[in-house]
Structure formats: C-alpha cells, structure tokens
Amino acid sequence: MKKQFHNEEVIKREQARMQNRACRPHLYGKKITVPTRNGSMHAFIYNKENLHPGYLIVEVHGGGFMYNTAADDDDFCHFIHQTLGIPVIACDYSLTPEHPFPIGLEDVYDCVLHALSMKELKAQPDRIILWGHSAGANLAAGTVYMARENQQFTPCMQILDYPYMDPYRSSAERRPIRNSVSGKLMDTFAHYYTKSPDELRNVLISPILYPAETFTDMPRTFILLCGRDNLNEGGKKYGLLLRKAKVPVTFYYVREALHGFIENHFNYEYIPSITKMQITRRQHELAEKSLKHICRWISRQIKDL
C-alpha cells in the first residue's frame, strides 16, 4: 500500500502557527542562545533554586521531530524545577523537514555540553538527567547513546514519557488506537526525519535497535507508557532490553492516558481545539498524579546515587 504523507506546505503552515503561539506574554524560563555544531539554537533556563548541587535536567519536547517548541513546555519545566529544586534547561532543537536527522539530535547533545560550561548552572558531567517526551524521548535516548560513545558526559538518569523508539515501523505495522497519533501523521514524522527510508533503521533513530552490548552502560531509566497510545510497543521493548542488560528500569503504565497527556495538561491553553476535546478532567488528574510520581522517583535516585 502506498503511504500518504502531509505535504511540506501544510507542515510549514502548522509550524508557523506553533512558532507564533510560542511568543507568549510571559515565560518562566530565561531564553538563551546555545552554540551548536550546526550554528545555534535557543533554550530556556530555569534556575531559581539549586537544592541538589551538580544535577541538571535537560528537557526535550515532543512533536514528531517536526512540531512544537521549548516554550510549549514552559509551565511543565517551571513545575519540575520548583518541585525538585534542580536547574532545568529546555532544548528548542532544530525541526524537520528543514533540518533532518541528525541535526535535532546533535542540537540536544550540544545543548548538554553548553549547559555544562555555564557557571551559573554548576552542572556536573555525571549528574545529567535527560527527560524527553514522545519524539523528544527518542532524542533523549539518542543523546545518552552519543554520550556513551563520546565520553564527554555520563547521564545518571533518563525519563522517557510515551517514547517514540521505533520510527522504522510504519503505521500499518501498529495496532490502531482511537485518539492516538494518526497513521498519516506518524508516517509523516518518519518520512521527513531522514533523507532516506533506509536510514530509519539507524540505531540513533530507532533506539530499540541498539547493539546488545550498548544497553549494559545505560543510566537508570523511567519509562512512562500510556494505555491509549499506538507507540507503546517500542517503549516497552526498549525498557525490556535495558532490564535484560541489568539496567535499573522503572515502568509506569497509565492505562487510561492518551499520548502526550502530560504536555497537553501543562500547555492546555495553547493546544488545538480538536485536542482539547479529548482532554477530560481525568486526563488532567492522570497528568498531575504521574508527574508527582516521576518527581518522587527522581528524588529517590538522587538519594541512592
């Protein structure tokens, strides 16, 4: 069956709308410019408190490598910073189709390096916490992999919310779930992320294909899975591969949750009307409960490390 994708004109129009909504009257984060190997990118810093010296959360927004901005997660980042007392830097990485793989991933990696050089953050290379959502979770895991290979820093934790870990699998190979990511949109994300379909099996694009020996050196991992999400299988498989390699993995399964429910909760005022129709009071309750659980998990790991 011939795959169908959104055309670039539609994508650019939607990206322009999202960039416009990112220009908000008030943001908690301080906007900075981060130099990267590909030029530069923006990031937002949250650094009012530092109750755990050396630790830094690097937050990576979702959106299929194509949509959303770091500003969309401003309330989320403010909340986790206030709750944990750990500095946060949110990456506004380059988006496809204009910037295909590996540019977005390299942006996130370079953002970590820049953060480590910032005296005001006081971050240590062995106390980096990568926290990503959906495609952002893919980029977070890829950054962990690159760190292992380059040995410039050693992440101590990765938190992966409803992660997109197997872009090489088409929508036709997944079980359809109502109100989850549409098949056309999912295939559009994968299509524009690379210059060639064969590249989708690159381990930095589909982390569940990492070589077996790689998994032994991964950091403590928290994986949040949504019951109403057709990306579930990849996240579950990734976590099981980590467990097989004796990496401490915590699965947190939210049976009623929709893909993206945490980000949608914190960004509710700005999400499209059609998405708002799916966000019931229960989804908000689940987001608040899940996030508090993750923050408690992080606090316990800090005590143990």
Side-chain angles (χ1 to χ4, degrees):
M1 180 182 293
K2 184 179 179 180
K3 294 181 180 179
Q4 297 296 318
F5 313 112
H6 292 291
N7 64 48
E8 291 197 42
E9 182 180 344
V10 171
I11 294 167
K12 288 179 181 179
R13 188 164 60 242
E14 184 66 6
Q15 287 179 329
R17 183 186 69 80
M18 293 180 180
Q19 289 295 330
N20 184 60
R21 79 182 186 192
C23 300
R24 303 178 183 183
H26 170 74
L27 289 169
Y28 292 106
K30 181 179 75 173
K31 190 175 184 179
I32 65 168
T33 299
V34 176
T36 71
R37 72 193 76 184
N38 301 302
S40 66
M41 60 173 273
H42 289 123
F44 291 93
I45 297 255
Y46 306 80
N47 191 32
K48 298 293 184 182
E49 292 186 272
N50 195 341
L51 304 181
H52 303 284
Y55 284 95
L56 172 70
I57 295 173
V58 180
E59 194 267 351
V60 193
H61 71 80
F65 314 109
M66 179 178 292
Y67 292 137
N68 300 331
T69 70
D72 292 320
D73 289 352
D74 183 64
D75 283 351
F76 168 81
C77 290
H78 175 66
F79 176 86
I80 61 175
H81 173 59
Q82 283 199 314
T83 301
L84 292 166
I86 297 174
V88 177
I89 184 167
C91 307
D92 212 7
Y93 56 89
S94 302
L95 303 174
T96 62
E98 186 177 357
H99 303 288
F101 173 84
I103 297 176
L105 175 59
E106 291 173 345
D107 281 353
V108 176
Y109 186 91
D110 292 346
C111 186
V112 178
L113 292 181
H114 182 71
L116 285 168
S117 73
M118 296 178 65
K119 293 182 180 179
E120 65 184 276
L121 295 179
K122 302 177 182 178
Q124 296 299 315
D126 60 346
R127 294 189 173 185
I128 299 297
I129 302 170
L130 272 297
W131 192 336
H133 324 276
S134 192
N138 178 300
L139 297 174
T143 300
V144 169
Y145 182 95
M146 290 175 65
R148 176 188 179 277
E149 297 299 298
N150 298 334
Q151 298 185 349
Q152 291 177 294
F153 56 92
T154 308
C156 61
M157 294 177 231
Q158 58 177 345
I159 297 99
L160 311 175
D161 296 335
Y162 28 87
Y164 183 27
M165 308 302 270
D166 51 357
Y168 72 92
R169 295 180 62 221
S170 70
S171 62
E173 300 173 83
R174 302 175 192 269
R175 181 168 63 93
I177 298 177
R178 185 182 178 189
N179 292 334
S180 187
V181 184
S182 74
K184 183 175 182 179
L185 190 58
M186 193 185 308
D187 290 336
T188 296
F189 291 156
H191 175 71
Y192 288 107
Y193 189 44
T194 65
K195 296 177 181 178
S196 165
D198 294 337
E199 202 173 11
L200 288 171
R201 297 190 71 89
N202 183 318
V203 296
L204 288 174
I205 295 174
S206 294
I208 64 171
L209 301 178
Y210 286 162
E213 63 273 14
T214 302
F215 288 98
T216 58
D217 295 328
M218 293 296 178
R220 300 179 183 207
T221 300
F222 187 103
I223 299 179
L224 183 151
L225 300 175
C226 303
R228 298 162 65 184
D229 183 9
N230 48 17
L231 299 183
N232 247 337
E233 192 174 330
K236 182 178 180 180
K237 184 173 181 179
Y238 179 75
L240 291 176
L241 288 169
L242 288 174
R243 275 191 175 174
K244 187 176 180 180
K246 309 302 182 185
V247 174
V249 177
T250 297
F251 282 108
Y252 187 70
Y253 183 72
V254 189
R255 184 175 60 84
E256 300 171 66
L258 293 166
H259 184 87
F261 75 113
I262 288 179
E263 292 163 287
N264 287 336
H265 167 68
F266 281 92
N267 199 37
Y268 186 77
E269 181 181 350
Y270 298 95
I271 61 177
S273 297
I274 191 170
T275 306
K276 284 184 178 179
M277 292 172 62
Q278 302 170 5
I279 309 300
T280 62
R281 177 182 296 180
R282 182 59 176 156
Q283 293 296 312
H284 287 295
E285 291 172 348
L286 292 172
E288 292 176 352
K289 180 180 178 181
S290 299
L291 193 51
K292 288 177 182 177
H293 185 87
I294 297 172
C295 288
R296 286 195 297 269
W297 179 86
I298 292 173
S299 296
R300 287 197 299 270
Q301 307 314 306
I302 289 175
K303 290 180 180 178
D304 291 343
L305 288 170

